[in-house]
Amino acid sequence: MIHLLWELMIVIGIVYGFLTGRAEEVGTAVVSSSREAVTLAIAMLGVVALWSGLMEVAKGCGLMDGMTRLLSRPIRWLFPSVPKGHPAEEAIILNVTANILGLGWAATPAGLTAMKELAALEEEQQTVPKGSASNAMCTFLVLNVSSLQLISVNMIAYRSQYGSAAPMAIVGPALAATTVSTLAAVAFCKWMERKKRG
């Protein structure tokens, strides 16, 4: 569905450009945007490579295991229906850890795995009608969208690419904003959980 919206916006933009006599500007914008997209992709490739390497170092020195131990208790509190040691728990922790470190691209595969595992768990437990999202699935989605971030790697890379004088200046505001959004998400999920029970 989203691809149809993008296609519609592109077609409307091109048609509007021709109807208003600005076809040349549309053509120039298409070429310059394509060039800019390639430049940004190459810059992001370097950032992804750097952080992938750092993640491997973090795994090797036990930092990721420490993060897993640190997050396991809050994750169990947030997801009481997920049994301890279930594959969904591991995927959720990996997703949350990647998001905290600002590695959204690394969080996506873990997030998809977590949703698949939560769906399989729901089939076993059958607590909601078939085809409906379980409480754990909704909680995970809300938590993933709120996404606490210590370091906004992607945003720092974008700011650096576009010539920001202080690309790291986003760290403090992003940390404050994502802390508030995550706390709000947790409060909302727990309130909805209590409301369903009562």
Side-chain angles (χ1 to χ4, degrees), residues 30-52:
V30 167
V31 171
S32 67
S33 295
S34 301
R35 188 180 319 114
E36 194 174 309
V38 170
T39 304
L40 181 61
I42 291 169
M44 291 305 291
L45 182 65
V47 173
V48 168
L50 170 69
W51 282 98
S52 294

Side-chain angles (χ1 to χ4, degrees), residues 77-99:
W77 177 72
L78 281 168
F79 300 92
S81 63
V82 178
K84 187 176 179 178
H86 191 276
E89 182 184 46
E90 182 183 329
I92 290 168
I93 290 172
L94 185 59
N95 174 270
V96 170
T97 302
N99 274 327

Side-chain angles (χ1 to χ4, degrees), residues 11-90:
V11 169
I12 289 171
I14 292 170
V15 169
Y16 181 79
F18 277 101
L19 293 177
T20 57
R22 300 170 79 179
E24 188 177 330
E25 289 177 37
V26 171
T28 304
V30 167
V31 171
S32 67
S33 295
S34 301
R35 188 180 319 114
E36 194 174 309
V38 170
T39 304
L40 181 61
I42 291 169
M44 291 305 291
L45 182 65
V47 173
V48 168
L50 170 69
W51 282 98
S52 294
L54 288 175
M55 282 289 279
E56 288 303 314
V57 170
K59 281 181 189 173
C61 70
L63 182 63
M64 293 303 289
D65 290 336
M67 290 275 297
T68 300
R69 281 193 300 277
L70 185 70
L71 289 172
S72 62
R73 189 168 284 168
I75 293 297
R76 270 189 247 117
W77 177 72
L78 281 168
F79 300 92
S81 63
V82 178
K84 187 176 179 178
H86 191 276
E89 182 184 46
E90 182 183 329

Side-chain angles (χ1 to χ4, degrees), residues 131-150:
S132 298
S134 67
N135 190 46
M137 292 167 86
C138 293
T139 300
F140 177 68
L141 183 61
V142 170
L143 187 67
N144 201 14
V145 170
S146 69
S147 183
L148 172 67
Q149 289 188 357
L150 295 179

